[in-house]
């Protein structure tokens, strides 16, 4: 059964040290919940970006909430690089597991299928491999002389994201953003914010069912209108480019970032 | 002064690299490739897929489908850049110095380590043509330009387009053409890696009227969906 | 570019000996195209049911079109067992690769990801394993003493199925029947029949896009209203139970089956 | 004559096996399990998923999701039957004789070889309780009742319900209760495998009024979506 919680109660569901999967900036980032996490002072998070990160990770890192991040890339879109991420990395204050997008997708699919590892083509010859002692290069057991990379499954403790719509049973409209389904399948618990909750069952007709993620996978939901701001949400609202530029400028310095947090983490 | 901007030149030249191909994809944080894919689509039979776009996005399986689609052989060309690109076409999208505590950190390797192997034609691009960007040897190999014989590899680098010149790649870079207003000496001075010279080094054909009309019209409009600031600045 | 063809031209696109993936009875079986295949006298097909088969396979087998079938199960639903399949098997006239449902799904996912093999839990200890020399039991390279099954990828020559709706660009509405997407991704060519073709682009809005399979994966489409009859199609029409019973009775004997074909394969 | 049919008894007994569990799934060609899952859902907190149903189907990823869902530990109970079931709870859903040229062919192994390992509670059922169906040793193991120590196995057989009796399973079958109207001698005569006897062998509690009301009402109505002939014959 899916719980319906306040934003603060939802954020309380992510303990210090949790391994948290987060979506890319175009796919429903739970920014309101992220600010709630910062307010409650969460510490030691291990972030997994699926497969890339942006403002959310930069804010959490700057606020001292993150011990480690696994990511294929991180930036603020057109607002440029992720300043608090880069500062923390240069300061040696953040552990990083560098990876490549399809490796994250494949490792989550492995968790989704309950298999301990999954092979993936390419990648061998990239210096990424030497930085990942958890990866293995083996010989394809079916063909002589065919080296291939094996990735261990990744099953995060929590998947955290935002969707436009839920129903009272806890089903979610995710549309084409099926990486959200993969995240939820792979994760032990899935915490979600939504723009709104409707009475009508999203699975009741096949048209909406096609873009619906079942409540079977949803641990808890909090209503958070505009919950992705200042990022944008698909058809509903665009990224607040002016705010992104404001953040990018403020976060260039530790002091500017602190001032930004003081002003905006209350939202 | 030429009648076109550096951005317009890059978009036109990158589009020519993929002209006539079936399915061309532009990745994340990639406005120039997005412009080029859209231009190729406007000028020929090409299908352009733009990561992050809602309109130019055939995918219904989420983020993984781009990579699966490449593995299935359904993507003909993709564009990659690098904070550093070296003479073996290795690209560094990650960092300079120890990646755990870098002196310079780029956004990240994204899908490069995969797509470089799986997409038949990879077009490298870097508008900044300098000894800082085009180096003897990258500090970190996000994705290798070449692979040893027994590794399954279906694709790789075929060309490099910069703000100064166009190189072909077949194990080594070969300078094919230099953009109008620049000289071989300019290219040699700005290139950190050794490269071959074509028997005849051409002057790059500047963007045509037709290309510029499309770039300034529908391509710019379509780019604004994913890259509003970039499109506004064109 | 997706081709729009007649039913006969579509059927002509499946050569003798082709390895053809077909969906289960509830997921859009291209029955009109199957009858067209029988009319043109296709031979030597290797069928892959995804993951189970029914009337379509029984008809093709009875008509002598099939050399081999890979399946996790085959029956006519409530109409009982698949009589021509069983008769052919008992007569030694059909090669069979017995398998289990998740092995077919996983092997298609492997082809979809371009990986040569994929591990799967369970199954070891089933006599199925001994009947599949193409499967391998290996030790999990990540953990000592953890045997696991590896399945080779399956990339069929053709995926053949029916959907309710296509648009003029060749995009298909598949709704929740995402095994159809997996089949199309994994197969080299995908041939589809549809109830109808609409002018409006199915990818133009996110609501319909969520249940749409892109034309990128569709080789050719033929319009075939009621193309699943006598099976049913999701919301549109139910299985014709009376006809299924008629078939099951007729197909008990070779002669009854021949009479059935003479009457119904013309449709 | 009892006030209920054999079908109603099976549905009620199978439902009791999964009462109170979170997520119970009924597979393909399985009207009795579907009825049981629906009855458990009507009587408690259980979510029933019915393969082939549109209404009782939470899945959005197609056919594979049932199996992935089991692997993720999100399915608490599943039902399996067998053309043959033996004393080690091995089940044969495939064939008798050489499977390449069988004397008897059953529909197939379906997902049994997987779900038997991944779903914590597997309830075996076979209404026909005979020496033909409950055998000393199956001719073909579609799915094994037990596994050696080092094999990853999260679930397996916990009980067997037939038209005559109910057995628990812990490495061996143990006869727990006999349905009203039948005797231990009946069970012994009809069972092809050796089994233990509970210290006290109970008389199976017949379906309650509440169970029968639900079976004859909403359960039957809901079953008709996937099993119209079965529901009509109830």
């Amino acid at each position: 059964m899916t719980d319906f919680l306040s934003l603060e109660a939802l954020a309380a569901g992510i303990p210090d040290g949790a391994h948290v999967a987060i979506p890319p900036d175009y796919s429903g980032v739970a920014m309101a919940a992220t600010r709630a996490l910062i307010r409650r002072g969460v510490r030691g998070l291990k972030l997994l970006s699926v497969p890339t990160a942006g403002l959310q990770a930069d804010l959490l890192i700057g606020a001292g909430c993150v011990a480690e991040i696994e990511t294929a890339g991180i930036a603020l879109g057109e607002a440029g690089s992720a300043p608090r991420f880069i500062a923390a990395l240069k300061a040696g204050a953040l552990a990083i597991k560098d990876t490549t997008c399809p490796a994250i997708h494949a490792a989550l699919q492995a968790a989704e299928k309950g298999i301990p590892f999954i092979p993936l083509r390419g990648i061998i010859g990239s210096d990424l491999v030497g930085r990942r002692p958890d990866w293995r290069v083996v010989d394809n057991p079916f063909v002589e002389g065919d080296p291939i990379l094996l990735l261990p499954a990744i099953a995060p403790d929590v998947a955290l994201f935002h969707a436009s719509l839920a129903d009272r049973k806890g089903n979610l409209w995710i549309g084409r953003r099926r990486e959200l389904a993969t995240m939820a399948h792979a994760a032990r618990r899935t915490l979600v914010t939504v723009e709104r909750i409707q009475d009508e069952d999203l699975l009741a007709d096949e048209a909406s069912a096609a873009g619906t993620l079942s409540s079977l996978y949803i641990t808890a939901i909090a209503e958070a209108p505009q919950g992705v701001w200042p990022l944008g949400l698909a058809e509903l609202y665009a990224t607040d480019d002016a705010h992104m530029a404001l953040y990018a400028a403020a976060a260039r310095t530790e002091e500017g970032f602190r001032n930004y947090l003081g002003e905006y983490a209350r939202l | 002064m030429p009648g076109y901007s550096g951005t317009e030149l890059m978009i036109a030249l990158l589009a020519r690299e993929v002209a006539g191909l079936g399915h061309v994809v532009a990745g994340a944080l990639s406005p120039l490739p997005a412009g080029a894919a859209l231009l190729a689509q406007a000028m020929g039979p090409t299908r352009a897929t733009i990561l992050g776009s809602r309109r130019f996005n055939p995918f219904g399986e989420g983020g993984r489908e781009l990579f699966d689609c490449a593995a299935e052989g359904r993507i003909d060309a993709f564009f990659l850049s690098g904070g550093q690109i070296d003479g073996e076409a290795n690209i560094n999208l990650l960092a300079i110095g120890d990646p755990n505590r870098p002196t310079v950190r780029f956004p990240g390797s994204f899908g490069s380590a995969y797509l470089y192997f799986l997409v038949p034609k990879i077009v490298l691009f870097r508008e900044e043509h300098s000894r800082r960007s085009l180096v003897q040897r990258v500090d970190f190999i996000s994705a290798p330009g070449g692979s040893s014989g027994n590794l399954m590899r279906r694709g790789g680098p075929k060309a490099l387009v910069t703000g100064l010149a166009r190189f072909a790649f077949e194990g080594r870079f070969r300078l094919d053409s230099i953009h109008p207003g620049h000289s071989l000496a300019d290219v040699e001075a700005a290139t950190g890696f050794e490269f071959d010279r074509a028997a005849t080094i051409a002057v790059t054909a500047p963007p045509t009227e037709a290309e510029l009309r499309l770039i300034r019209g529908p391509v710019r409009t379509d780019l604004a969906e994913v890259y509003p600031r970039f499109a506004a600045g064109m």
Side-chain angles (χ1 to χ4, degrees), chain A, chain B:
Chain A
M1 296 288 289
T2 304
D3 292 323
F4 288 84
L5 303 177
S6 71
L7 194 57
E8 304 302 327
L10 189 90
I14 301 183
D16 287 359
H19 187 200
V20 182
I22 54 174
D25 276 357
Y26 53 81
S27 190
V29 176
M31 286 305 302
T34 299
R35 289 185 290 267
L37 273 171
I38 291 172
R39 284 196 297 276
R40 91 157 185 74
V42 69
R43 286 292 173 271
L45 295 180
K46 295 164 74 178
L47 294 182
L48 172 74
S49 72
V50 182
T52 56
L55 178 65
Q56 178 182 32
D58 204 57
L59 269 180
L60 287 167
I61 290 166
C65 306
V66 181
E68 178 187 290
I69 185 169
E70 178 165 4
T71 187
I74 173 169
L76 301 180
E78 287 202 296
S81 61
R84 298 332 295 160
F85 161 75
I86 292 178
L89 203 60
K90 287 185 173 179
L94 177 70
I96 185 152
K97 291 168 95 167
D98 291 305
T99 181
T100 178
C101 305
I104 292 181
H105 293 303
L108 288 173
Q109 284 186 282
E112 178 182 55
K113 299 197 80 62
I115 56 180
F117 61 88
I118 189 165
L120 200 62
R121 285 297 189 188
I123 306 177
I124 296 169
S126 165
D127 286 341
L128 289 171
V129 178
R131 287 176 52 69
R132 295 298 301 248
D134 54 334
W135 294 358
R136 294 262 194 297
V137 177
V138 302
D139 275 317
N140 174 357
F142 291 84
V143 178
E144 194 88 18
D146 177 28
I148 189 165
L149 185 65
L150 300 185
L151 309 165
I154 303 178
D157 296 324
V158 178
L160 173 67
F161 59 83
H162 182 93
S164 57
L165 184 62
D167 67 24
R168 304 270 166 215
K169 292 182 173 169
N171 301 307
L172 285 186
W173 170 258
I174 59 166
R176 285 203 278 176
R177 301 271 39 106
R178 297 204 75 81
E179 59 274 348
L180 301 178
T182 310
M183 285 164 61
H185 295 165
R188 293 185 181 85
R189 298 162 63 243
T190 294
L191 306 177
V192 178
T193 58
V194 297
E195 291 294 309
R196 65 187 180 86
I197 299 168
Q198 72 174 24
D199 290 330
E200 200 191 341
D201 185 342
L202 281 160
L203 289 173
D205 81 65
E206 286 300 301
S208 61
T212 295
L213 174 62
S214 165
S215 60
L216 188 55
Y217 302 100
I218 312 301
T219 311
I221 294 174
E223 211 165 4
Q226 301 282 316
V228 170
W229 177 87
L231 297 171
L233 184 58
E235 305 292 78
L236 297 179
Y237 45 92
T239 298
D240 182 343
D241 290 320
H243 188 92
M244 292 297 289
L246 177 155
Y247 173 79
R252 265 185 228 135
T253 65
E254 174 70 24
E255 188 195 351
F257 178 78
R258 289 289 146 197
N259 291 340
Y260 175 92
L261 267 197
E263 183 150 5
Y264 292 104
R266 286 175 289 121
L267 295 182
Chain B
M1 291 287 289
Y4 52 85
S5 70
T7 295
E8 287 165 347
L9 177 66
M10 289 297 291
I11 290 176
L13 297 184
L14 292 175
R16 290 175 194 168
E17 298 291 338
V18 300
L21 295 179
H23 187 201
V24 173
V25 180
L29 307 177
S30 301
L32 290 174
L38 290 166
L39 179 58
Q41 179 170 259
M43 297 191 77
T46 300
R47 176 199 289 262
T49 292
I50 310 298
L51 220 72
S53 167
R54 199 191 69 69
R55 289 184 57 207
F56 302 103
N57 168 17
F59 299 140
E61 302 272 358
R64 71 179 170 83
E65 191 171 352
L66 163 67
F67 304 101
D68 293 352
C69 193
E72 293 155 19
R74 299 184 205 272
I75 299 178
D76 299 303
F78 191 81
F79 304 90
L80 286 172
S81 186
Q84 298 175 317
I85 300 172
D86 72 19
E88 295 176 18
N90 298 310
I91 61 176
N92 176 6
L93 289 155
L94 193 76
I96 294 175
D98 175 5
N100 291 329
R101 211 163 168 176
T103 52
V104 176
R105 164 77 199 202
F106 308 122
S109 301
F110 290 83
S112 65
Y114 187 76
L115 296 172
Y116 218 13
F117 292 78
L118 275 301
V119 176
K121 181 169 199 167
I122 298 289
V123 179
L124 295 170
F125 70 102
R126 185 74 207 258
E127 191 170 7
E128 177 195 322
H129 190 139
S130 72
R131 286 177 176 268
R132 192 183 71 147
S133 57
L134 305 184
V135 300
Q136 182 71 29
R137 179 75 188 168
V138 294
D139 280 71
F140 182 91
I141 300 176
S142 285
S147 300
S148 67
N150 69 335
L151 196 69
M152 200 293 296
R153 182 159 190 165
R154 227 185 263 150
K158 298 290 183 279
L160 165 64
V161 176
T162 73
L164 288 190
R166 190 264 184 197
F167 299 83
F169 186 84
E170 291 172 65
R172 280 172 62 87
F173 284 109
R174 187 190 68 226
L175 179 63
D176 270 357
S177 77
I178 300 174
H179 305 341
H182 302 287
S183 67
L184 177 58
D186 293 344
V187 174
E188 285 171 339
T191 307
F193 53 72
E194 309 223 331
F195 58 88
D196 299 331
R197 280 97 178 129
T200 311
I201 298 173
V203 175
T204 307
T208 64
E209 279 304 309
E211 286 167 340
L212 288 173
R213 208 165 33 239
L214 289 166
I215 291 171
R216 291 166 186 173
V219 168
R220 183 163 173 264
T221 305
D222 289 344
L223 271 176
E225 180 202 352
V226 183
Y227 300 105
R229 284 173 68 167
F230 179 85
M234 274 173 73

